[in-house]
Amino acid sequence: LREPGSEVGSTAISVYRFERLEGVEGQWRRVARMELAGHVGDLCMGNLGTDGRASLALELGGEEVGGLVQLYDFHGFEPQLRYSQQLTREHVRALSLGLRRVAGRSLLAVGAIGGQVGLWEPRSNGLGEVAVFRMSNGPLYGVHLTQLFAVDGIQVLSGVGGRGRGEVWMSDGF
C-alpha cells in the first residue's frame, strides 16, 4: 500500500484462521489486520515466551534504511505490540529474521543485508543483545536457529549468495 504523494509506503498484514463448518468445506476467515508505516523486509512467527503463545517479529524500513524490528505477542488472534527496537547498526535493512525457542532459550536472529547477524533475547525492558557476528560478506538468504549438537550449544544457519556463488554458512555453538 502507498499513500498518494508519499515516499514511504505502508504495509498491511492480515491474520487468517481456517474454519471448518459442519457439512461445508473449510474456508479462511480474516480475524485481524495490522496497518504499518514502512515496508516489511521479513517477518516470522515463533515463540519468544514461556507461555506457549505465538509471537510475530517483523523488520520495517524503506529503500536502504531500516532495521527497526517490532515484536508482537498474540492474545487470541489479535497481535499486541510488545517491543519496537532498532536492532541493526547504522540502520541497514534486515531482510532475514529467525524466531525460535531452542535449548531452553528464546532467541531472535536478525540478519542484516551485509552479512552481520545479531542474536537477541527478550528482557524486561526490551530485546537484549546476546551476540553479534559476521557470517559472510554478501547478502544473507534466511537465518535459522537450531541445536544440531547438544554439547555444542546453539548454531545459526544461513544461505549466503552473490557474485554468482551460493553457500550455506553455520556458526559455532554458543
Side-chain angles (χ1 to χ4, degrees):
L1 301 173
R2 179 170 257 165
E3 295 292 324
S6 172
E7 292 193 26
V8 176
S10 62
T11 303
I13 297 175
S14 296
V15 178
Y16 289 86
R17 176 182 180 175
F18 190 76
E19 296 179 337
R20 288 192 189 271
L21 305 173
E22 189 118 0
V24 179
E25 206 170 299
Q27 63 183 7
W28 290 98
R29 182 174 65 91
R30 186 170 70 190
V31 293
R33 181 178 166 97
M34 299 170 23
E35 299 275 342
L36 304 166
H39 298 286
V40 172
D42 194 14
L43 58 82
C44 61
M45 300 272 311
N47 180 4
L48 268 189
T50 57
D51 59 4
R53 293 183 188 194
S55 300
L56 168 72
L58 58 87
E59 184 266 358
L60 280 176
E63 307 266 337
E64 301 296 318
V65 178
L68 177 67
V69 174
Q70 293 186 340
L71 181 66
Y72 294 84
D73 288 333
F74 280 84
H75 301 283
F77 292 106
E78 194 65 37
Q80 303 292 320
L81 182 62
R82 182 174 175 189
Y83 303 121
S84 183
Q85 193 170 332
Q86 182 67 40
L87 295 184
T88 62
R89 295 193 170 113
E90 300 176 7
H91 298 270
V92 298
R93 294 302 306 263
L95 304 181
S96 300
L97 300 178
L99 177 65
R100 186 151 182 209
R101 193 159 170 78
V102 60
R105 297 174 74 182
S106 297
L107 296 169
L108 171 64
V110 178
I113 58 174
Q116 179 177 309
V117 174
L119 295 176
W120 303 81
E121 64 186 351
R123 298 191 178 144
S124 60
N125 59 345
L127 294 167
E129 187 177 283
V130 174
V132 175
F133 50 91
R134 177 164 295 283
M135 294 188 80
S136 176
N137 291 325
L140 297 178
Y141 296 104
V143 290
H144 177 72
L145 297 170
T146 188
Q147 188 177 26
L148 296 175
F149 315 105
V151 296
D152 290 337
I154 300 166
Q155 289 80 34
V156 179
L157 298 172
S158 179
V160 181
R163 296 189 188 103
R165 66 177 174 83
E167 59 190 56
V168 175
W169 191 94
M170 184 175 81
S171 72
D172 291 332
F174 67 92

